[in-house]
Amino acid sequence: MKLSAWRVALRIARRDALRAKGRSALVIAMVALPVLGVTGADVVFRSAELTPAEHSVRVMGQAAAEVHMVERGSSVLQAPDPEQGFTIKDPKDEAKGGAAPTYTPAQQRALDTAPAELARQLIPGATLVPELSGPFTAASSAEGLLSTRVGEADLADPVWRGRIDLISGRAPTADTEAAVTQDFLKRSGLRIGDRTAVRGLESSPFTITGAYEYPGDLRATELITRPGTVLHKLPEDPDDPGKGGPTRWLVKLPAGATVDWQKVKELNEYGFQVTSRAVLIDPPARGDVPYYVQQRQYAGGTDYFNRTDVVILATVAGMALLEIVLLAGPAFAVGARRSRRQLGLLAAAGGERANVRAVVLGGGIVLGITGAVVGLGLGIGLVALLQTTAEERSGRRFGHFALPPLDLLGILLVGLVTGLLAAVVPAVQASRQDVVAALTGRDTLKPPSPKLAVFGLLMLAGGAALALSGATGGIGNRSFAVLGGSAVAELGMVALVPYLVGLFGRLGRWLSLGPRLALRDSVRHRGRTAPAVAAVMAAVAGSVAVSVYIASFEEQYRREYVASGPSGAVILGSGWLSDDKLLPQMREAVERSIPDLGPRADVQRVEPKADCGPGSYCGYVSVELPKEARCPLMDSEETLSDAERERILSTDKRCQSTRHRGNSYGPVTVGDAALLRNLYGITDPAAGQALARGKAVVFDARYVKDGKTIVRITGPNPTTNDGSRASKPTQTEVALDAVLAPSSPDAPAQVVIGQDAVTRLGLSTRPAGSVWLPAAMPTDGAQQKADGALAKLSDHDVLKIERGYESPAGPIQYGLNIFAAIVALGAAGIATGLAAADSQRDLTTLAAVGAEPRIRRSLSGFQCGVIAAMGTLLGVVCGVVPGVALRKVEAAASNFPGMSPEELANKEALVFPWPVIAATVLLLPVIAAALAALMTRSRITLLRRSG
């Protein structure tokens, strides 16, 4: 066709779109909604993706570099951006047989020189600004104490700008002043000008002079004072690596000086990890990065399009676009049917079939571009309007508001292609209609093509086989196999629709007048029935696929769920207690917020009694299986190949045990009979008496042999002759008298001991939390009140109430099903409008012979119901394929050597939500028929019969 002919076709399409505003708005909305979602996601993603210059500001403010002494006496291999990976080479790890480690000259110099002095020697002209970050402690708030981190920095120094931004007020200038984060102000109830004191330093309060934020961490709760004012006064904390002096510095250089890649590699040899502004902005070639060269030796990895997340995303996005095409198709069919006289006149005036197709395709172009532009504009506008909300929800600021032109152009093309694809079938049908029949308003009825039916059946079977085989990696690329197979199967069902509609028509002999007429009309006019059925089928297929996927996951989660305690148990500290010194106040807050808790059981965590310095590893205590029941890989010091390890893990059943723990207090805890009752549901007094006699109470029979259980004490790495730490920790196994007391919640690999046993084993304890077991389940309101009180003391979730398995997918599944039902009802409504346009002669005949309005309403209702019923049944079949395929993708990705048969069965659980499917099949056609009947006018205008 010539360009001038396309211009005429587009003008006709634009005029028809303006005439049928309701239908045009529907198509525009169908195209605009996915474009809006994709545009919003793309703009948010691109805006949150920092450029190298923006990333360098977040990391080091206005400094030239940030250096971090990872470990003295070691060397480092790093990526240009250390956040993307680094490795540490420690000579102590390479020393064998107790031999002394061999240090390079650079490593020995790092051992002999203080890190800060060494950095100044290696970077001439550098001014080092230490990053002084203290431990989690507590500061006074409006209602008590607030868990917070404490740090020191001169915020008046411009080097911090970009890494720490002042929002309001001013930087501290005196030793009695402090600045706090916005989150600190929000949670503490304080304001600028108020005073706060760090716990233990109540006699030296600080006046809050300003509020600031970390652009990369908006949820940080921190108090910052001037250097040298608070950290040295805090009590020793063995878990705080900063007490031994700073290990990170910002590097300020004279104007024009930079830290280049060669200097970064030199610093790596001395054990420094370096983030350089110059290197981030202009990174070296991958071949010049030793870290990348090393990683290439361990190459393997997974092809991008075979990654599980990419497979799922590609399948969901591709199937969504296919469903949009199938949903929008009937709308174009409505326009083509209502314009068939106009299209007939075009053909009668000498227009070719290509001209007729161009008019209908022009509608797809006009409405597709319009929908894409509307969706694009709305997506950009919504992101701009909700930018602050999006930043706060994500916890970090955008680097900039990004509108990448190529991305937006691609999204516009997706909208255009969607509109064109939706108009293809109606365009072909319009171009093939008989001119005389179009001018007289009559239809040319053709039987369905047997060849098309056979082809559709082959597509359905082949697509399903491709999707299910590709899901497990059995055929080629998983993304294309799953997406392509699911799409081919659904298109095959679309090709089968005309033939299946004829099969449905055979049911008419057993129906009453109304449904029989509706079914006959649908069979006679397969040209309009098929796209309408396909539209309903697409909506239902999406709902069924999501339902199968979510129901299967929910069944997996239900099987894998391990209760934290008996039903109704209130567990404090089952998470992370950043400061156990706040535990008394937390207990008081819980008991004040939740009534009738009953007796309290306190929990203590067991630790080795060792002198481990600041920031050192202090070891742990665990309970172990008898040696003959352990996996041989656990205690073996022999170096085995990966293939041999996988063989042992896959064949030795001792290596395939499941060790899920319900609570997070640790494998070995200290308590009494109250703890056994509240946390493990054990009321047998014999278990409590065994604890009092110094015995251990074990809950898993595998861990008891001959009345003994094995407790392993893993201490810190011992000190070698040169003062460094050995690479392997000390381990001691002690057989402890034990009794077996099966708990109500499963508690494998856990044991409770008494204080006498702790003393006998030479261990130490520290508070870990408390547990209550009230007679009645606490209400949600009481839990929310307790959470609110605890949030003022800790910024972590420290309270849990055992309510049994709670499905996280329930609201999501119901919401998606409701959305799919609305879309399916809309598709059925479009189909009813299309049927009404073709059924005017039948309605006129019924009115002429005296049929009551009820008959006409029932005819419209049954027409809609028949289409909805056929589409629903076919949609259930089509939706099973992608739902099962995606489930198999996840199961194949989570299978690894050493997984127990029980875990493997849980990962592969496949559940069909029959109640949801039955409700869809039965209720959707009934609702569609009822709505169509209610919306059909009782009075009609009699038409003159043409011809």
Side-chain angles (χ1 to χ4, degrees), residues 326-454:
L326 295 178
L327 286 169
F332 287 105
V334 169
R337 303 290 285 183
R338 290 184 174 177
S339 303
R340 56 185 171 182
R341 180 173 176 81
Q342 172 185 282
L343 296 175
L345 289 172
L346 177 62
E352 300 178 354
R353 287 188 174 183
N355 298 109
V356 176
R357 285 196 298 268
V359 172
V360 181
L361 289 174
I365 295 174
V366 170
L367 298 180
I369 291 179
T370 304
V373 170
V374 170
L376 197 70
L378 289 176
I380 294 173
L382 282 175
V383 174
L385 183 65
L386 302 175
Q387 177 177 346
T388 302
T389 303
E391 290 173 339
E392 292 175 351
R393 293 292 297 272
S394 65
R396 58 179 185 154
R397 298 290 181 199
F398 288 172
H400 59 289
F401 192 79
L403 297 175
L406 292 179
D407 290 12
L408 301 182
L409 180 61
I411 294 171
L412 280 175
L413 290 177
V414 169
L416 172 61
V417 171
T418 301
L420 271 175
L421 291 176
V424 166
V425 174
V428 173
Q429 290 177 341
S431 66
R432 291 180 178 177
Q433 68 178 348
D434 184 79
V435 176
V436 176
L439 293 174
T440 58
R442 298 184 181 185
D443 283 331
T444 54
L445 304 179
K446 297 180 181 179
S449 170
K451 294 182 180 179
L452 181 62
V454 173

Side-chain angles (χ1 to χ4, degrees), residues 570 589-597 774 776-790 799 801 803:
V570 178
V590 173
E591 292 174 336
R592 187 173 59 248
S593 303
I594 304 177
D596 303 324
L597 283 174
M777 179 75 70
T779 63
D780 288 338
Q783 182 175 2
Q784 292 173 17
K785 184 177 179 181
D787 287 337
L790 291 171
L799 181 69
I801 297 180
R803 301 183 184 276

Side-chain angles (χ1 to χ4, degrees), residues 428-574:
V428 173
Q429 290 177 341
S431 66
R432 291 180 178 177
Q433 68 178 348
D434 184 79
V435 176
V436 176
L439 293 174
T440 58
R442 298 184 181 185
D443 283 331
T444 54
L445 304 179
K446 297 180 181 179
S449 170
K451 294 182 180 179
L452 181 62
V454 173
F455 183 66
L457 185 61
L458 293 176
M459 289 179 64
L460 176 62
L466 176 62
L468 298 178
S469 300
T472 56
I475 296 180
N477 185 285
R478 289 204 300 164
S479 287
F480 298 126
V482 175
L483 171 58
S486 301
V488 167
E490 190 158 337
L491 291 175
M493 185 64 79
V494 172
L496 274 172
V497 166
Y499 182 78
L500 295 176
V501 167
L503 295 181
F504 279 112
R506 297 182 181 180
L507 300 175
R509 68 185 70 178
W510 292 290
L511 301 178
S512 58
L513 176 62
R516 186 167 67 248
L517 286 175
L519 193 57
R520 186 204 66 176
D521 183 72
S522 298
V523 173
R524 290 181 61 200
H525 301 283
R526 290 187 180 92
R528 62 167 166 77
T529 302
V533 170
V536 179
M537 179 190 74
V540 173
S543 172
V544 170
V546 170
S547 297
V548 171
Y549 184 74
I550 293 180
S552 299
F553 255 114
E554 187 174 353
E555 177 63 21
Q556 175 188 335
Y557 294 153
R558 192 191 312 277
R559 294 181 184 180
E560 294 177 345
Y561 179 76
V562 179
S564 300
S567 178
V570 178
I571 304 171
L572 175 65
S574 183

Side-chain angles (χ1 to χ4, degrees), residues 564-614:
S564 300
S567 178
V570 178
I571 304 171
L572 175 65
S574 183
W576 179 24
L577 278 179
S578 57
D579 190 348
D580 57 37
K581 296 177 182 177
L582 294 176
L583 193 53
Q585 295 186 55
M586 292 181 179
R587 290 167 177 159
E588 182 182 351
V590 173
E591 292 174 336
R592 187 173 59 248
S593 303
I594 304 177
D596 303 324
L597 283 174
R600 187 185 80 209
D602 293 335
V603 189
Q604 296 185 78
R605 186 177 288 112
V606 184
E607 295 178 346
K609 185 181 293 184
D611 181 17
C612 48

Side-chain angles (χ1 to χ4, degrees), residues 45-223:
F45 176 77
R46 294 296 189 183
S47 299
E49 189 178 39
L50 303 180
T51 64
E54 291 167 344
H55 177 56
S56 65
V57 172
R58 292 277 175 94
V59 172
M60 66 194 73
Q62 304 304 310
E66 180 193 48
V67 295
H68 173 210
M69 173 53 75
V70 179
E71 184 175 350
R72 297 175 68 180
S74 299
S75 58
V76 174
L77 291 181
Q78 68 165 71
D81 181 2
E83 292 183 4
Q84 297 179 1
F86 69 93
T87 59
I88 302 172
K89 185 178 181 181
D90 190 343
K92 296 189 295 293
D93 295 336
E94 300 177 358
K96 297 181 179 180
T102 303
Y103 296 102
T104 65
Q107 293 169 342
Q108 188 62 52
R109 182 179 174 186
L111 286 172
D112 298 338
T113 311
E117 178 60 28
L118 180 61
R120 291 189 187 96
Q121 295 174 7
L122 296 174
I123 312 175
T127 301
L128 301 185
V129 180
E131 300 179 24
L132 302 172
S133 180
F136 270 100
T137 180
S140 58
S141 64
E143 299 186 16
L145 290 175
L146 171 68
S147 177
T148 182
R149 183 175 286 277
V150 178
E152 294 179 351
D154 182 7
L155 296 181
D157 189 338
V159 73
W160 296 102
R161 191 174 66 250
R163 173 168 170 168
I164 305 176
D165 291 336
L166 195 67
I167 304 302
S168 58
R170 61 175 177 82
T173 56
D175 290 349
T176 58
E177 296 177 342
V180 298
T181 59
Q182 292 274 58
D183 191 68
F184 184 102
L185 286 182
K186 178 181 177 181
R187 295 176 53 211
S188 67
L190 301 177
R191 296 178 296 180
I192 293 177
D194 292 342
R195 306 181 79 186
T196 183
V198 178
R199 192 190 60 231
L201 305 176
E202 287 80 2
S203 60
S204 304
F206 294 95
T207 301
I208 300 175
T209 62
Y212 67 95
E213 70 178 16
Y214 288 94
D217 184 11
L218 300 180
R219 299 191 182 100
T221 304
E222 189 172 18
L223 179 146

